[in-house]
Amino acid sequence: MKINKIENYQIDKELFKKYLVVETQLLEQWFSKDYFKFETLNAGAEIEFLILDSKYQLSPHNLFFTNKLKSQPVVREAGTAQLEINTPVFPLQDNFLSLLHRNVLSTWKECCNVARTTQHNLALIGSIPQADPAFFKLLNCTPENLFLLMNDVATQYRQGKPLSIHMKGKRDTLQFHPESLAMEGLICSLQLHLQVPPHQLTRYFNIIQLLSAPLLALSSNSSYFCGKNLWSETRIGIFEQLYTFPSPLKHTVFFEPHYFQDTLFPIFLNNIGFPYLLPLAAYEEPRNHMFHVRCQNSCIFRWNRPILAFNNENEPYLRIENRILSTGPTVVDMIANAAFFYGITYYLANNSPFPDTLVSNESLIKNFYAAARHGLDATLHWNNHQIQTNTLLKTLFPLAVKGLQDLGINSVDVHFYLDIIKTRLDKKQNGSIWQEKYLQKHNNDFDGLIEKYVKNQYSETPVGDWNY
């Protein structure tokens, strides 16, 4: 959402809550009256990535890059070494996949050109495998007022208690106290958006919830942090712990633990009870702009969440944001991930019974964290059985193909991008597994890992075909 200069708002938690409650009451009426607009299935993406120097170490120069890339849809993210590409929204039909691919690749190449001419490198990776602790300091939080305000408010909510990261992995344990939220800038995601008919919004959300575990395992690309081998998708644990607050305060990064029945309005209603990390009271904003509703929702990082936005005619609409996927390892891998996501989501949303017949409400959250920890080796609860994730994904594969076909996606694109997924599953190699195998072969050479990774990434060779 668009937030102007902080100076235009009053920073006041109580006043923010007052306006938030009033807008939420109006939002309830919008839900009850089917007030939201819809034209066609639309989709788009956000892609976070890291800036490295010529020696493949983090480089805190996102402002330099955005100044060079003024004509490109690239924005600074939380850390000074982090950027994000925002794609346009495209209709989910015909040549959607190749159109999205061309769009992302065009922007990515512009970013790479700037990197090449200034002795930098770029990395599409879920978490930087070995980070300089200097990048956890407030100095490396992107110096924009919104990021700094969120860091200050989060510090207040912690009531003097330090940030604490404690993760026990397959081989290692990580425990330390980062100075600031700048550490968020060392983890990167591929965020996929989907606008669906309002009457199907809850069904699609529930389907995306149950698919989150296998999709997370499929795209895992975050097995190391600070030189430690942790989860298959370490990014999940780090991000959640950065926004953990003392009881009884609610944590603001989490997996929604249950299905919804008729409406997603309870999500927005529940938002009132969370910490206000951007308490920007805007008394001049009309209620129907939903400024405070959108501001609060933007600071509660459910791994899947509904987004309220407005079209060019200032009419409200809703979309679903899927935040679980890791960025990378290549642009073509991410488009393949998107192809599988949209295909299987569409198929199950339109052909399966109620989601809890496949995954019970009790198993939703268990599956998610099993996949985050163990990736393609995770054992999931599915259709009243236990099944290994890689095997489950292979059974879902033809359904994803059928989903894309039913959407009317170009058949050449369907087979090109989903063949990348098939190879990844057949070889059982995603980004996380490749990193682990590389380090095992090369005696934990992290510098060699990131150099090899970036060179492979530039080649646009899908990760399923990478060697060590």
Side-chain angles (χ1 to χ4, degrees), residues 15 35 37 70 99 117 123 155 165-166 184-185 195 227 232-233 244 251 328 334 336 358 363 385 397 412 441:
L15 192 57
Y35 189 62
K37 302 300 177 182
K70 285 182 179 177
L99 185 60
T117 58
T155 301
I165 303 295
H166 183 200
E184 180 184 339
Q195 184 183 359
S232 180
E233 191 58 26
T244 295
H251 310 330
M334 292 188 291
L358 291 175
S363 295
H385 295 90
F397 183 87
V412 174
K441 181 177 179 178

Side-chain angles (χ1 to χ4, degrees), residues 330-433:
T330 64
V331 172
V332 73
D333 275 306
M334 292 188 291
I335 305 303
N337 289 341
F340 192 88
F341 168 77
Y342 290 120
I344 190 61
T345 297
Y346 184 80
Y347 180 87
L348 290 183
N350 290 280
N351 292 282
S352 71
F354 193 77
D356 68 0
T357 62
L358 291 175
V359 177
S360 69
N361 204 90
E362 294 74 20
S363 295
L364 262 183
I365 198 163
K366 293 178 182 177
N367 279 358
F368 181 76
Y369 289 104
R373 287 182 171 88
H374 305 294
L376 291 175
D377 287 326
T379 299
L380 304 182
H381 297 275
W382 191 274
N383 199 19
N384 296 317
H385 295 90
Q386 289 190 328
I387 186 171
Q388 190 181 57
T389 306
N390 199 59
T391 303
L392 172 60
L393 284 163
K394 288 181 178 180
T395 66
L396 295 177
F397 183 87
L399 305 183
V401 174
K402 185 64 167 61
L404 291 177
Q405 291 171 341
D406 291 346
L407 279 164
I409 301 295
N410 178 285
S411 61
V412 174
D413 286 356
V414 171
H415 293 290
F416 174 77
Y417 293 107
L418 287 188
D419 279 354
I420 291 171
I421 300 298
K422 185 177 187 300
T423 298
R424 196 188 303 171
L425 295 175
D426 288 344
K427 294 185 177 180
K428 200 177 179 181
Q429 178 165 289
N430 57 24
S432 287
I433 293 171

Side-chain angles (χ1 to χ4, degrees), residues 124-364:
L124 294 162
I125 194 165
S127 62
I128 192 71
Q130 194 172 33
D132 182 343
F135 278 84
F136 306 156
K137 295 181 179 296
L138 185 59
L139 175 67
N140 281 299
C141 185
T142 293
E144 289 186 2
N145 287 336
L146 288 176
F147 293 121
L148 297 177
L149 174 60
M150 185 176 288
N151 188 80
D152 289 345
V153 174
T155 301
Q156 294 170 21
Y157 276 119
R158 288 198 304 274
Q159 302 168 1
K161 296 183 179 180
L163 272 172
S164 180
I165 303 295
H166 183 200
M167 294 187 67
K168 185 173 178 59
K170 290 179 286 187
R171 297 182 178 87
D172 301 319
T173 298
L174 177 67
Q175 186 166 9
F176 64 99
H177 301 287
E179 179 182 301
S180 73
L181 295 177
M183 187 176 160
E184 180 184 339
L186 305 183
I187 55 176
C188 298
S189 66
L190 163 65
Q191 297 159 33
L192 298 176
H193 293 252
L194 178 61
Q195 184 183 359
V196 300
H199 71 277
Q200 288 188 294
L201 185 74
T202 302
R203 178 164 180 77
Y204 269 92
F205 185 86
N206 290 335
I207 291 295
I208 291 171
Q209 284 278 97
L210 78 88
L211 287 170
S212 291
L215 289 169
L216 176 64
L218 175 68
S219 70
S220 289
N221 191 26
S222 178
S223 49
Y224 290 85
F225 195 77
C226 290
K228 305 288 188 180
N229 184 203
L230 300 167
W231 295 1
S232 180
E233 191 58 26
T234 301
R235 175 181 61 94
I236 298 294
I238 289 175
F239 196 29
E240 290 192 352
Q241 291 185 53
L242 282 175
Y243 288 91
T244 295
F245 301 102
S247 180
L249 294 173
K250 297 179 180 179
H251 310 330
T252 54
V253 182
F254 61 98
F255 185 80
E256 189 68 54
H258 54 78
Y259 296 118
F260 290 84
Q261 294 299 318
D262 303 310
T263 174
L264 295 187
F265 173 71
I267 287 180
F268 293 94
L269 182 62
N270 292 341
N271 284 352
I272 296 172
F274 283 83
Y276 306 132
L277 298 182
L278 283 179
L280 303 174
Y283 64 90
E284 292 183 348
E285 289 279 359
R287 274 199 313 162
N288 61 1
H289 286 186
M290 294 290 169
F291 174 86
H292 303 87
V293 164
R294 291 183 292 144
C295 188
Q296 177 68 348
N297 193 56
S298 72
C299 299
I300 301 172
F301 303 101
R302 293 173 175 86
W303 290 111
N304 298 303
R305 65 182 179 184
I307 301 290
L308 171 64
F310 292 83
N311 62 23
N312 292 332
E313 286 72 43
N314 288 319
E315 298 169 322
Y317 69 92
L318 292 162
R319 66 178 185 269
I320 300 169
E321 181 185 53
N322 173 269
R323 305 177 56 84
I324 65 168
L325 306 184
S326 229
T327 197
T330 64
V331 172
V332 73
D333 275 306
M334 292 188 291
I335 305 303
N337 289 341
F340 192 88
F341 168 77
Y342 290 120
I344 190 61
T345 297
Y346 184 80
Y347 180 87
L348 290 183
N350 290 280
N351 292 282
S352 71
F354 193 77
D356 68 0
T357 62
L358 291 175
V359 177
S360 69
N361 204 90
E362 294 74 20
S363 295
L364 262 183

